[in-house]
Amino acid sequence: MEMRGIRFFYVLVLFVLSVACKQDEESAEIAFMSGRFVVNNGNWGDNDADVGIYDLQRKTFFPDMFYTVNSRYLGDLAQDIISVGDDIYIAVSGSQTIFVTDRELRVKKQINAENNGVRLSPRCFATDGVRVYVTYYEGYVGQISPEDYSIRFAQVGPNPDGLDAAGGKLYVADSGGMAYPDYNNTLSVISIDGFERTDIVSVNVNPAKVVASSDGNMVYVFSYGDYAAVPSLVQALDTVSGKLSDLPYESVCSIAGGKNGLLYILCGGYDADWNPLPGTVFIHDMATNTGMGNFVTDGTILPNAYSVSVTSDGYVYVGCSDYLTTGDVFVFTPDGRLYDRFDSQGLNPIKVY
Amino acid sequence: MSICCVAVYGDTLDVATVSSYKDADAVSLSPVRAMSHDMIKYIGAHDLYEVLEQFSGVSIRDYGGIGGLKTVSVRNMGASHTSVIYDGIPISDAQNGQVDISRFNLHDVSSVSVAFGVSDEIFCSARHLASAGVLQIESAKADFSQKPMQFTAGMTGSTIGAFAPYASVRCRLGKNWVMKLSADGMFSKGNYPFKLRNGDLVTTEKRVNSDVASVGAEADLCADWGNRGMLRLKLNCHDSERGLPGSVILYTQNPFERLWDKSVISNVMYDVWNGGQWKFHTDIGYSRSFNRHLDCDPVYPQPLDSRYIQNEYSISSRIMFGVRQKWRFALAEDCYVNTLDSDIPECPFPCRLTSVTALSCQYSGRRLRANAFLTGMMMTEKLKNANKQVHRFNLSPMVGLNWNFIRDYHLRASYKKGFRMPTFNDLYYSRVGNDALKPETAHQFNLGLTGIEDHGWGRISMTMDAYCNLVKDKIIAVPTMFIWKMRNVSEVVMYGSDINLSGTFELAKWLRMQVSANWSLQYAVDVTDPHSKSYGSQIPYTPRHCGSGSLILETRWANLSYRVSAVGRRYTKSQILPSTMLEGFADHCICLSRSFNFGRRHVYRVDFSLEGQNLAGTNHELVKGYPMPGRSLRIRVGFNY
């Protein structure tokens, strides 16, 4: 009798386990359809970048989905993710490669770009709805053909980082981030038609991210400064008048633009002992160039805030990282209330898409 | 420590109890791992790290392959807590705080030892007393009993494409003087194959940009005037160029970095002991090192080409009173000046004056020995372009006891407050440096039991130590908003145990067997911030278990040896995750060696050895992304006159 009881217990355990596994698989499938992609940048040289899926409805996170689906690693330093049509593009800068996958992260194509015999490191993406544009840290912007994934290059300034497309133009932040101590301070403007640089605009030192308003009349540039005397800054460029103005936000760490016409500005900073201060997210109306105050309305504290992303539904994700342990992602509803919080299970959650 | 003195000063005081190098550990106040020239030869070691792998409690970081940077740390306290002494001369690096041991090879070495904790010898230089570990390398002494001149030359070649020739000559000059000249080199393309695992995908790749060419030369002049003292002059030069392969990156292999190192070490030392109560030593030294680092990565608008020049001027003296007494006292004073010049932006051209004073006392009774030290370090730093002066001070007490409670069994206990001063890079490296750093301190407690059983059929020696270390104000790079800053934030607690067993057995008239087995257990956890995800996790690159073993069969015809070093699972980051795990490995080697004597009165000798290295063929990693070479064969031929 006793034996039987034990056997029954085992069978029960096995059954529960198998059901649990199945449920896991099913939920992952559903998550692919409705989920958000969470990119963990990883640590330099460790090949530990990955993309996980966050199911917003059920508040569940599925980590390492790229590895789970493809049985191989994403590589070193995933920098950005974007989708056009049915394709997902993932820029893996340390591994000098772009993965093109379907919506379930199955690899369709791997793009290893070379120009003039130099292997190129992809950084950031932008799209005009048809094609994907990518900055290569070696000084180029690439236009990726959606048919055969071939690349057309345009030369820009040194170490281009963030870029955005609007009004038939690409705005590219030429950071010169590797040119310490003489960082670069220009924004390259590229006409999408001819795909070449048509204009160069001077901005603050070490520009890193660009967000353009939907009509392309206003372009917001976030720059790191020189990490010393020149502070980090967000600047607004009126592309019609050509006027450049500094926005009054201090200790800015990152920016992100929403489909709702709002610019989300993440500010951080540190105290005299180099301890990082909690992050603050401000919102700024892009069309009118006016500040709208603090985004977070429920007093949530954001320690070690590292990245800010906004998805098409207006949810805002703040990635927090101490660069040494796995990150945390804080999820906010469009009206600034904390909705959920999860461990990104990877280093440096750089983007949620 | 006593070993060093045996070799350098020919002192016979403590030697009576130290019948062999292995037994040094069994009678010391704190653990001392040592290996003699013969043993090094039998196990077929060619590079210093191959010997250090056999020492329990000593760990090596190896940045890959043949010419890669190698640093050594004791009980995982970090390489900056280890001092390196070569023939009594300190080898230091004020810029990085870590000494690259890949420059040392073993063809001309008589002994290698690593001492943890409290020094056994009170008549020693003050500057190393505060280090958690002291690695000592002693070069071979000439034996002129048979001939007035000795000559050695040889070559080592490996199937992974590494060649290392060496030559040395020793001669007696007049009645009191002895001269030694030696040179060695090491050349390799370093492009060995390795297996790259990427999930289900396994490919065979080759290491790129891993070449090395290095040459070294040394002149050594020694005079011995008996009671009137001993003088030793040494000049050592080293020059190397190597590619830095970087860690293996998936989907691309594009390393662009190269490193050039040139160094000159010179030293004059004078020792005198008139056979009475006083003993005195003094030395002056000058060393200069030049490094050039070039990075041609196309992401840089211009290639990064940085040069660093470091100078060290040192003077050191020590005096001991009571040489023949139960109670002895010593006073040691070391002064040295370090400078750093560089062409990188914002280099503040620091000039550092350090003064270390050590007052020590030793009691050696019939059954009890005890040492006590008090070391004070004062440091003054001037920055050329900042018109700023910084002072640092640290006091460090240490005490050690050894009680011979029965026969050849000893109990030992020691405490030491060690520390390391922040390096030039910690303080001033562009953007990252932080000039407000305090010294990093390490409290070390050790309790050990040692014993020797010596019988007609053989000899067994064993040591067991348990320890507790507390590292405070650990200097680490911490990310701030965009850039990393060096800060004194981390705290680590370590508990561990090292067990060593070794035995020598005379199995037959023609067969002697030497066996040794070592095992280390270490529990080293981060206790910095209870809210952090890494709180309570084993610190990076610290296996819970590691061990080594060797078996040597000496016969009349040839010697056969086997050695293994095994390292358990480690984590590369402060958080325990599947992605940060490095699997454990075992590195097996066998060596067959034989010597032939010929000529009149057997004055010529030719040594042959054949070694099978890394027999399991694993491309294990000591540092993540830096796979080691797989299976290889190494051949050595040496000629001696």
Side-chain angles (χ1 to χ4, degrees):
Chain A
M1 189 59 207
E2 207 174 274
M3 266 313 272
R4 233 196 203 171
I6 291 170
R7 213 174 285 164
F8 175 73
F9 175 72
Y10 277 132
V11 171
L12 190 75
V13 166
L14 278 175
F15 176 74
V16 169
L17 276 177
S18 65
V19 169
C21 289
K22 215 173 231 162
Q23 265 183 352
D24 248 25
E25 274 168 32
E26 275 169 20
S27 3
E29 263 170 44
I30 297 165
F32 275 127
M33 291 188 281
S34 63
R36 305 284 172 258
F37 298 103
V38 179
V39 180
N40 284 315
N41 180 238
N43 188 51
W44 180 66
D46 278 354
N47 299 308
D48 58 349
D50 212 306
V51 175
I53 308 259
Y54 175 65
D55 185 332
L56 186 71
Q57 271 82 48
R58 278 173 303 160
K59 299 188 179 179
T60 318
F61 179 58
F62 301 91
D64 298 336
M65 287 312 284
F66 184 91
Y67 182 76
T68 309
V69 170
N70 298 293
S71 298
R72 58 171 164 149
Y73 297 104
L74 185 60
D76 193 45
L77 299 180
Q79 212 69 33
D80 204 357
I81 189 167
I82 204 164
S83 78
V84 172
D86 289 333
D87 289 344
I88 308 280
Y89 293 73
I90 308 163
V92 193
S93 124
S95 287
Q96 303 188 306
T97 197
I98 296 172
F99 282 103
V100 184
T101 71
D102 63 14
R103 296 208 70 93
E104 294 180 6
L105 290 176
R106 253 184 295 272
V107 174
K108 285 165 88 173
K109 174 82 185 171
Q110 188 175 354
I111 309 172
N112 296 336
E114 254 185 44
N115 197 19
N116 299 327
V118 174
R119 181 81 182 263
L120 303 179
S121 321
R123 286 290 286 198
C124 293
F125 291 126
T127 178
D128 54 5
V130 185
R131 291 191 187 84
V132 168
Y133 300 92
V134 56
T135 46
Y136 281 108
Y137 219 41
E138 285 76 10
Y140 305 98
V141 171
Q143 181 186 53
I144 307 176
S145 145
E147 285 87 33
D148 61 355
Y149 306 111
S150 63
I151 299 182
R152 191 174 162 198
F153 294 104
Q155 178 121 31
V156 289
N159 310 133
D161 201 354
L163 78 169
D164 206 357
K169 282 177 177 152
L170 281 177
Y171 298 91
V172 184
D174 303 327
S175 75
M178 304 302 276
Y180 171 76
D182 304 311
Y183 302 112
N184 193 49
N185 63 342
T186 59
L187 194 70
S188 288
V189 185
I190 290 176
S191 83
I192 287 180
D193 280 344
F195 204 62
E196 55 178 16
R197 182 154 67 171
T198 53
D199 200 6
I200 300 173
V201 182
S202 288
V203 291
N204 185 40
V205 172
N206 203 353
K209 281 201 161 64
V210 182
V211 175
S213 63
S214 52
D215 55 9
N217 287 345
M218 292 299 290
V219 171
Y220 293 86
V221 185
F222 158 62
S223 48
Y224 285 124
D226 67 354
Y227 312 114
V230 183
S232 65
L233 205 58
V234 183
Q235 291 172 303
L237 173 70
D238 185 330
T239 55
V240 183
S241 67
K243 196 175 150 256
L244 184 77
S245 55
D246 295 355
L247 303 191
Y249 303 102
E250 283 175 11
S251 302
V252 184
C253 338
S254 192
I255 58 169
K259 290 256 188 318
N260 51 6
L262 291 179
L263 183 71
Y264 296 80
I265 301 164
L266 176 65
C267 299
Y270 40 84
D271 66 14
D273 281 337
W274 302 101
N275 291 308
L277 299 172
T280 321
V281 183
F282 294 101
I283 36 180
H284 192 90
D285 188 280
M286 285 200 270
T288 59
N289 192 12
T290 45
M292 297 174 68
N294 211 320
F295 165 69
V296 178
T297 50
D298 62 358
T300 305
I301 291 170
L302 299 165
N304 297 314
Y306 162 79
S307 69
V308 60
S309 315
V310 49
T311 48
S312 52
D313 54 6
Y315 276 73
V316 174
Y317 299 78
V318 178
C320 293
S321 169
D322 61 1
Y323 294 78
L324 301 168
T325 57
T326 55
D328 289 302
V329 179
F330 289 73
V331 187
F332 290 94
T333 56
D335 58 352
R337 281 175 299 112
L338 184 69
Y339 172 78
D340 189 18
R341 176 192 168 164
F342 61 91
D343 189 313
S344 77
Q345 302 194 31
L347 233 53
N348 301 340
I350 195 169
K351 177 130 185 175
V352 179
Y353 184 77
Chain B
M1 274 307 163
S2 49
I3 297 158
C4 139
C5 297
V6 175
V8 176
Y9 314 112
D11 187 344
T12 50
L13 273 167
D14 290 324
V15 186
T17 50
V18 184
S19 57
S20 88
Y21 286 99
K22 273 242 134 115
D23 294 344
D25 197 8
V27 296
S28 60
L29 303 175
S30 305
V32 180
R33 317 274 183 247
M35 204 183 274
S36 67
H37 175 74
D38 286 347
M39 194 69 177
I40 292 170
K41 215 169 91 181
Y42 293 150
I43 66 165
H46 176 264
D47 289 306
L48 184 57
Y49 75 93
E50 292 170 288
V51 169
L52 298 176
E53 273 173 357
Q54 293 291 312
F55 292 167
S56 63
V58 176
S59 58
I60 297 156
R61 287 245 182 137
D62 192 328
Y63 293 83
I66 299 157
L69 173 75
K70 293 170 180 65
T71 63
V72 55
S73 84
V74 298
R75 290 177 171 169
N76 291 299
M77 271 183 284
S80 334
H81 280 282
T82 309
S83 302
V84 179
I85 305 178
Y86 172 60
D87 276 347
I89 303 168
I91 310 292
S92 69
D93 187 327
Q95 187 189 356
N96 301 305
Q98 312 187 344
V99 177
D100 179 9
I101 59 158
S102 70
R103 61 175 287 181
F104 297 104
N105 63 33
L106 298 171
H107 69 84
D108 193 34
V109 161
S110 74
S111 77
V112 174
S113 72
V114 179
F116 310 177
V118 177
S119 167
D120 238 48
E121 175 59 59
I122 60 164
F123 188 61
C124 62
S125 90
R127 69 188 282 188
H128 301 296
L129 284 172
S131 302
V134 179
L135 164 64
Q136 297 208 47
I137 304 150
E138 290 297 331
S139 66
K141 297 273 283 180
D143 173 17
F144 294 108
S145 55
Q146 289 188 347
K147 46 204 173 218
M149 198 179 107
Q150 285 182 0
F151 176 75
T152 312
M155 168 90 162
T156 305
S158 157
T159 51
I160 46 171
F163 301 94
Y166 65 88
S168 72
V169 59
R170 292 181 175 79
C171 53
R172 190 179 268 281
L173 305 172
K175 210 176 99 197
N176 306 106
W177 291 85
V178 171
M179 187 183 68
K180 184 186 82 179
L181 298 171
S182 65
D184 62 82
M186 148 78 151
F187 308 91
S188 172
K189 279 192 175 159
N191 54 351
Y192 56 85
F194 67 97
K195 282 219 158 54
L196 177 62
R197 272 169 224 285
N198 177 10
D200 289 351
L201 212 69
V202 182
T203 49
T204 301
E205 312 275 334
K206 272 196 166 179
R207 219 58 184 109
V208 284
N209 194 36
S210 175
D211 59 298
V212 58
S214 120
V215 287
E218 187 177 294
D220 193 309
L221 203 59
C222 240
D224 191 344
W225 297 292
N227 280 354
R228 284 186 297 138
M230 251 174 80
L231 184 73
R232 184 168 189 175
L233 296 93
K234 202 176 189 70
L235 181 70
N236 181 298
C237 308
H238 187 260
D239 189 347
S240 77
E241 177 184 347
R242 51 191 155 171
L244 300 178
S247 66
V248 173
I249 303 289
L250 294 176
Y251 313 115
T252 184
Q253 269 301 13
N254 241 345
F256 293 100
E257 289 174 86
R258 292 197 79 71
L259 189 66
W260 287 262
D261 289 297
K262 290 184 207 312
S263 71
V264 177
I265 297 163
S266 58
N267 191 284
V268 180
M269 53 175 90
Y270 176 70
D271 270 274
V272 61
W273 178 45
N274 60 7
Q277 296 294 356
W278 294 89
K279 208 156 117 175
F280 177 74
H281 165 100
T282 188
D283 66 75
I284 55 169
Y286 168 67
S287 65
R288 181 180 180 86
S289 75
F290 164 85
N291 309 89
R292 177 180 171 211
H293 175 252
L294 179 70
D295 191 343
C296 298
D297 193 320
V299 298
Y300 298 108
Q302 275 106 36
L304 282 190
D305 191 353
S306 26
R307 287 146 211 260
Y308 306 87
I309 293 172
Q310 289 189 66
N311 286 300
E312 180 174 301
Y313 310 85
S314 68
I315 177 157
S316 160
S317 297
R318 51 187 179 262
I319 185 159
M320 181 160 84
F321 177 69
V323 176
R324 292 185 176 284
Q325 305 289 318
K326 274 188 176 176
W327 287 93
R328 296 173 196 161
F329 299 90
L331 177 68
E333 168 68 34
D334 283 27
C335 282
Y336 46 100
V337 175
N338 292 90
T339 65
L340 171 68
D341 292 348
S342 165
D343 61 357
I344 59 165
E346 293 172 18
C347 175
F349 303 101
C351 174
R352 173 187 276 187
L353 169 71
T354 313
S355 156
V356 195
T357 311
L359 196 61
S360 49
C361 160
Q362 183 174 56
Y363 172 78
S364 6
R366 209 167 62 82
R367 292 225 168 256
L368 186 74
R369 288 195 305 126
N371 282 6
F373 298 84
L374 187 66
T375 306
M377 181 182 268
M378 266 183 301
M379 203 174 247
T380 303
E381 225 154 69
K382 249 188 178 167
L383 305 180
K384 199 175 180 182
N385 53 3
N387 201 10
K388 191 172 164 184
Q389 227 171 358
V390 190
H391 303 280
R392 288 184 186 82
F393 177 72
N394 206 307
L395 207 59
S396 142
M398 50 200 99
V399 56
L401 278 170
N402 184 309
W403 177 38
N404 179 202
F405 60 99
I406 191 166
R407 295 205 324 264
D408 283 332
Y409 287 84
H410 297 249
L411 266 176
R412 61 186 174 200
S414 61
Y415 163 73
K416 171 173 183 170
K417 182 197 164 200
F419 62 91
R420 78 154 180 106
M421 283 291 179
T423 64
F424 285 153
N425 277 358
D426 294 340
L427 295 163
Y428 308 116
Y429 196 78
S430 310
R431 299 178 287 181
V432 182
N434 176 3
D435 59 10
L437 290 174
K438 294 178 286 187
E440 175 180 322
T441 55
H443 297 271
Q444 301 165 259
F445 300 88
N446 189 81
L447 197 63
L449 170 70
T450 65
I452 297 171
E453 283 291 336
D454 200 348
H455 300 279
W457 44 267
R459 181 183 177 85
I460 297 172
S461 109
M462 64 108 201
T463 71
M464 281 190 290
D465 287 280
Y467 61 89
C468 168
N469 296 337
L470 181 65
V471 182
K472 281 190 158 178
D473 293 327
K474 204 171 160 74
I475 299 171
I476 55 165
V478 180
T480 63
M481 197 162 67
F482 307 122
I483 49 171
W484 295 63
K485 272 275 169 203
M486 302 306 297
R487 291 179 60 197
N488 290 103
V489 286
S490 180
E491 220 173 293
V492 176
V493 175
M494 305 171 178
Y495 302 97
S497 156
D498 297 326
I499 295 175
N500 300 276
L501 275 172
S502 66
T504 306
F505 306 97
E506 307 287 345
L507 298 180
K509 268 197 176 146
W510 51 272
L511 179 65
R512 187 155 73 143
M513 182 172 80
Q514 293 193 52
V515 202
S516 83
N518 314 310
W519 174 65
S520 295
L521 168 74
Q522 193 174 49
Y523 176 78
V525 293
D526 171 19
V527 290
T528 312
D529 174 12
H531 303 294
S532 160
K533 290 175 188 173
S534 60
Y535 186 79
S537 301
Q538 185 89 349
I539 58 168
Y541 289 107
T542 308
R544 270 283 143 81
H545 302 274
C546 61
S548 62
S550 66
L551 172 76
I552 297 165
L553 295 173
E554 288 173 66
T555 71
R556 208 177 290 164
W557 309 282
N559 300 319
L560 182 69
S561 75
Y562 161 76
R563 73 188 144 97
V564 59
S565 78
V567 174
R569 176 180 293 173
R570 297 139 293 157
Y571 293 88
T572 60
K573 288 267 143 31
S574 46
Q575 198 179 4
I576 309 285
L577 294 170
S579 64
T580 62
M581 189 182 76
L582 270 186
E583 277 297 348
F585 66 89
D587 185 353
H588 308 265
C589 298
I590 51 167
C591 172
L592 183 70
S593 58
R594 161 140 207 203
S595 298
F596 298 93
N597 291 298
F598 55 91
R600 196 161 57 88
R601 285 198 293 168
H602 287 207
V603 289
Y604 303 103
R605 193 180 82 232
V606 175
D607 300 326
F608 282 106
S609 89
L610 192 65
E611 295 145 33
Q613 293 202 297
N614 190 7
L615 296 176
T618 55
N619 294 118
H620 54 265
E621 295 162 315
L622 289 167
V623 175
K624 189 178 181 182
Y626 290 86
M628 300 299 284
R631 203 172 290 125
S632 69
L633 195 68
R634 194 160 68 181
I635 298 167
R636 259 200 290 181
V637 184
F639 172 80
N640 295 276
Y641 164 73

